[in-house]
Amino acid sequence: MELVQSTFQDRLNDIESYFDLVSNIEMAAGSGGAIFKVQNSSYLIRPEQQKIMYSGIYLHLYNLVESTISMLINAVERHAMNDIDGQLDLLTENMRNLYIKSITAPQESLTYEKKLEKAILLFEQARNLKPIELKIPPGGGGNWDTVEIKRLSKSIGITIKLPKALNTSINQPFRDDKGPLRLIKDIRNKLAHGSLSFTECGNNHVASDFRKLIDIVTSYLKNIIASYEQFIDVSGFKVAQD
């Protein structure tokens, strides 16, 4: 989990650095204009440029959410594969189900030949004829919010329990009647798909809004990391041994 923690902190530092820039530009603009020197001339940051910079915080935050969840999935896969040493019967029912789904891909429309290929692969791994590749189907790609994170965690066997105050802040509407993570996810998708411009996204925002948003998301993800770390520490992916 050291990699998860260090990468999380690196990306959080990126966000804090970017927020520091945005908030200082906002303060400068409020004091007469955000101006800096370029080749012996003055350059004034325009209001639409400031809005574009606000939009970037949403992208940074979604990047933090998705990278954190992806790394946690990888950590569970890695620790489980190392711990069971090819013995699939040591996996919990949750983990066996995920393992089978990752190979058979029941949610995909496959040709007969592809289905047969996957069935043979499952047989060969189950019989130790080939090395086991334990993968957890992530779902959620491009759509990570509290609902998807809770669904994924439950499918692995992890119960997410948040402190009361954090549970309230992560679920109550933050903007546009949406909770913090759903808001970040929806805006990220609209920006990515072109249905919302960066200038439009930054309308009616101030830096203090983002300070609160960053703090909520950071506290939430730290709790998620702690839940996964505890699960790995007690080998929650393995059946209890007599």
Side-chain angles (χ1 to χ4, degrees):
M1 293 292 286
E2 289 183 10
L3 177 61
V4 176
Q5 295 281 6
S6 63
T7 304
F8 175 81
Q9 191 58 53
D10 286 344
R11 300 203 180 201
L12 183 57
N13 290 342
D14 287 346
I15 293 173
E16 292 292 353
S17 179
Y18 187 79
F19 174 77
D20 188 50
L21 172 64
V22 171
S23 59
N24 276 286
I25 286 175
E26 181 182 285
M27 284 191 290
S31 301
I35 304 169
F36 59 94
K37 296 292 182 180
V38 180
Q39 296 180 344
N40 298 319
S41 63
S42 296
Y43 184 88
L44 175 66
I45 292 181
R46 301 188 301 276
E48 62 268 26
Q49 292 172 319
Q50 193 173 344
K51 293 175 184 178
I52 291 169
M53 295 184 75
Y54 286 144
S55 302
I57 297 179
Y58 285 112
L59 298 182
H60 277 286
L61 283 169
Y62 189 79
N63 177 274
L64 179 68
V65 173
E66 181 151 331
S67 68
T68 301
I69 299 304
S70 296
M71 286 188 297
L72 289 173
I73 293 172
N74 291 338
V76 172
E77 292 171 345
R78 186 171 61 254
H79 282 274
M81 235 177 354
N82 290 339
D83 212 351
I84 67 170
D85 193 26
Q87 300 178 69
L88 288 172
D89 59 323
L90 293 181
L91 290 175
T92 61
E93 183 178 353
N94 288 74
M95 293 296 293
R96 286 198 305 271
N97 289 341
L98 290 174
Y99 163 70
I100 293 170
K101 286 178 182 178
S102 72
I103 295 181
T104 60
Q107 74 283 1
E108 297 180 17
S109 179
L110 303 174
T111 63
Y112 171 79
E113 290 78 10
K114 195 65 177 178
K115 288 180 180 178
L116 178 60
E117 179 184 320
K118 287 181 173 292
I120 292 172
L121 177 61
L122 178 60
F123 172 79
E124 290 176 333
Q125 290 190 13
R127 297 289 296 173
N128 285 319
L129 300 175
K130 281 189 176 180
I132 290 173
E133 295 181 31
L134 182 57
K135 292 291 181 183
I136 296 173
N143 288 289
W144 288 116
D145 56 17
T146 53
V147 174
E148 275 301 305
I149 292 170
K150 185 176 181 179
R151 179 204 61 77
L152 169 74
S153 303
K154 184 178 180 181
S155 72
I156 294 172
I158 301 172
T159 301
I160 301 299
K161 294 181 180 179
L162 303 175
K164 186 176 180 180
L166 177 58
N167 188 62
T168 299
S169 62
I170 205 69
N171 285 298
Q172 69 183 7
F174 186 86
R175 188 183 181 92
D176 300 334
D177 293 322
K178 298 174 183 177
L181 263 76
R182 185 186 168 194
L183 174 69
I184 292 166
K185 177 200 72 175
D186 288 353
I187 288 179
R188 177 265 185 188
N189 287 342
K190 287 179 180 179
L191 290 172
H193 299 147
S195 59
L196 180 69
S197 77
F198 283 80
T199 304
E200 290 171 333
C201 174
N203 277 331
N204 303 315
H205 282 76
V206 291
S208 57
D209 295 335
F210 290 110
R211 179 69 273 163
K212 184 178 179 182
L213 188 61
I214 291 168
D215 291 343
I216 292 173
V217 173
T218 300
S219 295
Y220 172 74
L221 290 176
K222 284 182 176 179
N223 273 269
I224 298 299
I225 291 172
S227 296
Y228 274 72
E229 187 169 26
Q230 181 183 31
F231 177 80
I232 289 171
D233 286 346
V234 298
S235 297
F237 41 76
K238 287 176 63 176
V239 293
Q241 300 292 298
D242 294 331

